[in-house]
Amino acid sequence: MSMREKPKQIRPYERCMDQGPQVLNDAELLAVILRTGAVGMESVELGAQILRLLAPEVGLAGLGRLSIPELMKIRGIGKVKAVQIQCVAELCKRMSKAMAQQNICFQNPASVAHYYMEEMRCLQQEQMKLILLNTKSMRIRDMTIFQGTINSSPASPREIFVEAVRYGAVSILVLHNHPSGDPNPSREDILITKRLKEAGSLMGIPLIDHIIVGDNRYVSLKERGILEEM
């Protein structure tokens, strides 16, 4: 029986119209977005097939990690459907970030980590962000200052403090991700933090924290007491 032949009350689109999206399971939500299935496969089955490819411990969050070429390797997923899925994943990230922005406090590591988590946790390469703060510890702006290999993410203190001076920052905060998902700091992480702290002291623009983002976990070198010990 095709989707069109099924009773309206069990079709995902009609159920969503009548009862709201909250009644649909993950595969059905994907089916509504994809609209059509493949030869011999209805849209709900296609949605379930996509979900089966995601690691159980990651679940739907893993959609953001699949590239368009990876998605197109799935039977029934062409270029259009792959782009639709990527856009939905990106929209979810932006919604999460927009909601977190309402409560962000740059003196609170958990608040900062939560705000940037969805944006950074699925990255396949290390990326370092610089956050420039004013006298009230409010964000002037943030920027990506480095994106590198999975094993290393060097950052130049000179490059960082040139940006800090350019935008009149009073203090700075840096974040970077660990693609492995483990946010515990490496020897290199501690060394770059030490260099940034020393440069900030000389420039009169202190480093207030270095936060490392993992998979739904973070480590603040300030909270760990590492920053104060340097």
Side-chain angles (χ1 to χ4, degrees):
M1 186 182 294
S2 69
M3 186 64 72
R4 290 184 180 180
E5 295 171 325
K6 290 183 177 181
K8 286 187 176 182
Q9 62 268 26
I10 65 171
R11 296 182 204 163
Y13 187 90
E14 283 77 4
R15 287 179 61 216
C16 182
M17 287 287 292
D18 292 341
Q19 304 173 55
Q22 68 276 3
V23 303
L24 304 182
N25 61 35
D26 294 344
E28 290 171 329
L29 286 170
L30 277 173
V32 172
I33 294 163
L34 297 172
R35 297 183 60 193
T36 58
V39 176
M41 183 189 306
E42 63 181 37
S43 56
V44 174
E45 187 179 347
L46 178 56
Q49 177 176 280
I50 295 169
L51 294 173
R52 283 196 293 270
L53 295 176
L54 306 175
E57 66 274 12
V58 176
L60 277 176
L63 278 180
R65 297 181 178 177
L66 297 177
S67 66
I68 288 178
E70 288 172 330
L71 287 165
M72 289 177 64
K73 290 179 181 177
I74 302 171
R75 176 174 170 258
I77 300 294
K79 188 181 296 183
V80 172
K81 283 185 169 64
V83 169
Q84 287 174 326
I85 292 170
Q86 276 221 325
C87 287
V88 167
E90 179 62 25
L91 185 62
C92 290
K93 290 179 189 176
R94 295 187 187 188
M95 289 172 64
S96 176
K97 191 172 180 181
M99 289 186 286
Q101 186 173 9
Q102 299 173 11
N103 300 312
I104 189 169
C105 170
F106 288 97
Q107 294 289 343
N108 183 329
S111 175
V112 176
H114 178 65
Y115 178 71
Y116 288 95
M117 182 66 70
E118 285 307 310
E119 178 183 350
M120 301 185 75
R121 64 192 285 263
C122 294
L123 295 173
Q124 299 301 305
Q125 292 185 317
E126 286 198 8
Q127 186 179 101
M128 180 169 277
K129 283 190 176 294
L130 168 65
I131 303 171
L132 306 176
L133 304 175
N134 63 18
T135 54
K136 295 183 179 180
S137 294
M138 300 293 290
R139 180 179 53 188
I140 298 171
R141 64 179 297 161
D142 61 27
M143 62 190 76
T144 299
I145 54 171
F146 186 84
Q147 182 165 319
T149 65
I150 285 179
N151 295 321
S152 64
S153 177
S156 164
R158 179 181 181 278
E159 179 183 353
I160 288 172
F161 286 99
V162 163
E163 297 295 340
V165 171
R166 176 183 298 170
Y167 293 101
V170 171
S171 59
I172 64 168
L173 188 156
V174 295
L175 298 93
H176 85 275
N177 64 301
H178 279 179
S180 67
D182 180 2
N184 284 298
S186 66
R187 178 176 176 273
E188 290 74 21
D189 294 335
I190 293 174
L191 287 175
I192 187 61
T193 305
K194 187 175 186 219
R195 290 173 63 201
L196 290 176
K197 182 177 180 181
E198 290 171 349
S201 297
L202 289 171
M203 295 288 295
I205 306 174
L207 171 71
I208 65 170
D209 202 354
H210 181 176
I211 297 172
I212 304 170
V213 173
D215 191 358
N216 273 331
R217 296 180 290 160
Y218 78 93
V219 166
S220 158
L221 271 66
K222 177 183 176 181
E223 286 183 336
R224 286 271 181 100
I226 298 173
L227 195 63
E228 285 69 23
E229 293 172 359
M230 293 177 175

